[in-house]
Amino acid sequence: MATSVTSAESKGSLSSDLFYDILRRLDGATLASAACACEAFCSISKEEKLWENVCSSMWPSTNRDDVKSLISSIGGFKKFYADCFPLIVNKEVPECRWNEYLEYPEELTEAEYYGDMDEIEIVAPSDFVSIVDVRYKDKTICSKVLWGIPNANGFPHWFYSCPFRIDLFTYSTRDDEHAGEVTLSVSDGLPPITSMEKERKDGKLWQELRDGIRLSWIVVNTKIKQAANLSSWSPLGGQRHWPTDEDFLLRFGSVLPAKDILPCQAVECIVLMKFRVIYTEEGGVPTTLKLTELSMQVGDMEGAHLNGRNSLLVLKEALSCKRSKNYDEALESCQLYSKVQSELREEKMRNESRLDRLYILGGIMACITVCFYLW
């Protein structure tokens, strides 16, 4: 009897070890599905080490000791993955007309301009942490962590009133061991180009860059212990050969709710990534791109960038909004916002054109009236 009990216990232990070895090789989505398969998988999948490995594989920035401590303090790696793997989806975009937009008063008191100061103190810039990872064809090319928001604590009134912007390369932490130039070359999978003239014609390098690049920009609020990925993983759009012939601009982002913050009720988180061609094959050096810009801003329906005060409120609200694992659903949300924004812009141009014609007619009538009296 003792022998059979020992044998059963060893088999149970062996099975658990085998199960753990299997589960630790899975990605996050597959691990979550496996947890629903049986009681043994469900029990083992609760191990934080498994989810730490998943997060480490997807977001290399989480390998840092300070980031590990941060994630543990906001609920652990399993919660972090559940919060940050799905993309933000906001389809509650109002179909506003240009003349229906609420106008801000021209003259505001200091308290009205900066908003409820008690509320601002609750949403402090120092509460936010940015965890950013850039991949090209499954290879990590950049991982950075930014604690707080630059230039916010020393000059609060200036920050609250000026356009909000985070430039990752300008304000990245000095102790970041990955600080320095971020480049892509033929060895990373880029197609070689012999000259910019040929690239301008066929666009092969641009197409490969758009298809292969992936960006994750996770924002964590340490006070409310919530996190969300504000990027769209894949580029939403871009522009090649802008602003110079050697530059490639990629745009990522998401649509964020602003119902009780701004009249437009929805805003866009805009993440811009800019690469510059520094070498081509004609120079005898393999084709090489350099990452020159990685920044975040928040813009409203009319294309204006939000100030620091409203951006903080929007970011806080975004950490608790709806998300989806379906990339197409997130893309549809961004396309809906762009459609409404384009319609608003066109209507504004039509209204301004009508006003211009009225002013011209008014000027002509005034000239005719003056001429009539002179005669």
Side-chain angles (χ1 to χ4, degrees):
M1 179 67 71
T3 303
S4 61
V5 170
T6 303
S7 177
E9 289 178 351
S10 64
K11 287 180 180 179
S13 176
L14 179 61
S15 298
S16 297
D17 293 340
L18 285 175
F19 288 163
Y20 184 89
D21 189 60
I22 293 171
L23 294 180
R24 72 180 181 85
R25 302 172 187 272
L26 304 179
D27 59 34
T30 309
L31 178 59
S33 300
C36 303
C38 65
E39 185 178 353
F41 279 5
C42 180
S43 177
I44 297 173
S45 67
K46 295 178 182 178
E47 291 286 336
E48 271 291 290
K49 189 62 179 177
L50 287 175
W51 293 102
E52 181 179 341
N53 292 338
V54 168
C55 292
S56 174
S57 175
M58 178 162 288
W59 303 294
S61 295
T62 60
N63 279 320
R64 293 177 34 156
D65 291 337
D66 54 351
V67 178
K68 288 181 180 180
S69 299
L70 170 65
I71 295 174
S72 298
S73 68
I74 63 173
F77 285 91
K78 184 177 181 179
K79 179 179 181 297
F80 182 81
Y81 178 86
D83 288 342
C84 301
F85 177 72
L87 298 177
I88 290 177
V89 174
N90 179 31
K91 296 183 180 180
E92 297 180 2
V93 181
E95 296 184 3
C96 298
R97 296 182 179 274
W98 176 67
N99 56 4
E100 292 177 352
Y101 266 81
L102 300 177
E103 297 293 337
Y104 291 106
E106 294 182 358
E107 295 183 1
L108 298 174
T109 64
E110 183 177 2
E112 290 173 333
Y113 186 80
Y114 293 116
D116 187 347
M117 297 310 292
D118 292 335
E119 187 176 20
I120 290 298
E121 289 175 2
I122 294 174
V123 191
S126 58
D127 294 337
F128 291 92
V129 181
S130 294
I131 302 174
V132 183
D133 291 282
V134 183
R135 290 176 176 270
Y136 180 73
K137 294 184 176 179
D138 296 326
K139 177 183 177 182
T140 301
I141 63 171
C142 179
S143 293
K144 289 185 178 293
V145 179
L146 183 64
W147 296 84
I149 297 177
N151 295 334
N153 296 324
F155 310 94
H157 283 193
W158 175 86
F159 169 77
Y160 293 142
S161 60
C162 288
F164 173 84
R165 177 184 172 94
I166 300 178
D167 194 324
L168 202 68
F169 286 120
T170 302
Y171 299 111
S172 58
T173 51
R174 295 181 180 179
D175 59 345
D176 190 347
E177 62 180 2
H178 299 288
E181 289 190 351
V182 178
T183 58
L184 278 175
S185 64
V186 175
S187 61
D188 298 313
L190 282 179
I193 58 172
T194 56
S195 66
M196 292 307 300
E197 287 76 13
K198 184 177 180 181
E199 166 59 22
R200 198 182 299 109
K201 292 179 181 179
D202 57 34
K204 187 176 181 181
L205 177 63
W206 166 247
Q207 191 63 44
E208 287 287 328
L209 186 63
R210 283 197 59 176
D211 293 343
I213 206 74
R214 297 292 181 268
L215 170 66
S216 170
W217 190 310
I218 296 172
V219 171
V220 182
N221 188 301
T222 56
K223 180 168 289 186
I224 62 176
K225 301 185 184 303
Q226 290 181 329
N229 192 345
L230 302 185
S231 180
S232 51
W233 283 114
S234 299
L236 297 173
Q239 194 169 357
R240 61 175 180 154
H241 309 302
W242 188 91
T244 70
D245 196 39
E246 291 81 18
D247 290 321
F248 298 94
L249 185 68
L250 297 168
R251 183 175 62 85
F252 303 78
S254 54
V255 179
L256 309 180
K259 187 174 182 180
D260 299 323
I261 304 170
L262 294 170
C264 57
Q265 301 185 30
V267 297
E268 183 181 20
C269 176
I270 306 166
V271 181
L272 296 179
M273 178 188 296
K274 187 187 294 182
F275 284 92
R276 173 167 293 177
V277 179
I278 56 176
Y279 297 114
T280 60
E281 300 292 330
E282 64 180 351
V285 181
T287 302
T288 306
L289 297 179
K290 177 183 176 182
L291 183 58
T292 58
E293 179 184 334
L294 187 53
S295 62
M296 176 197 289
Q297 290 181 298
V298 183
D300 65 10
M301 276 283 186
E302 294 184 333
H305 293 144
L306 270 61
N307 59 23
R309 171 193 177 270
N310 291 330
S311 295
L312 288 184
L313 296 175
V314 167
L315 290 179
K316 180 187 177 185
E317 187 74 16
L319 300 184
S320 57
C321 68
K322 181 184 176 183
R323 296 160 220 198
S324 174
K325 298 177 182 177
N326 187 344
Y327 175 76
D328 291 336
E329 190 176 358
L331 183 60
E332 182 183 349
S333 172
C334 296
Q335 290 174 341
L336 175 61
Y337 182 90
S338 297
K339 179 184 177 183
V340 175
Q341 189 178 42
S342 297
E343 292 173 352
L344 180 65
R345 188 182 298 113
E346 291 172 2
E347 184 175 357
K348 182 179 179 180
M349 292 176 63
R350 286 195 298 268
N351 289 336
E352 289 178 346
S353 178
R354 294 191 191 102
L355 290 175
D356 289 341
R357 287 195 293 268
L358 287 175
Y359 289 143
I360 292 172
L361 289 175
I364 294 173
M365 292 300 295
C367 289
I368 294 174
T369 303
V370 171
C371 292
F372 176 79
Y373 281 108
L374 289 175
W375 282 98

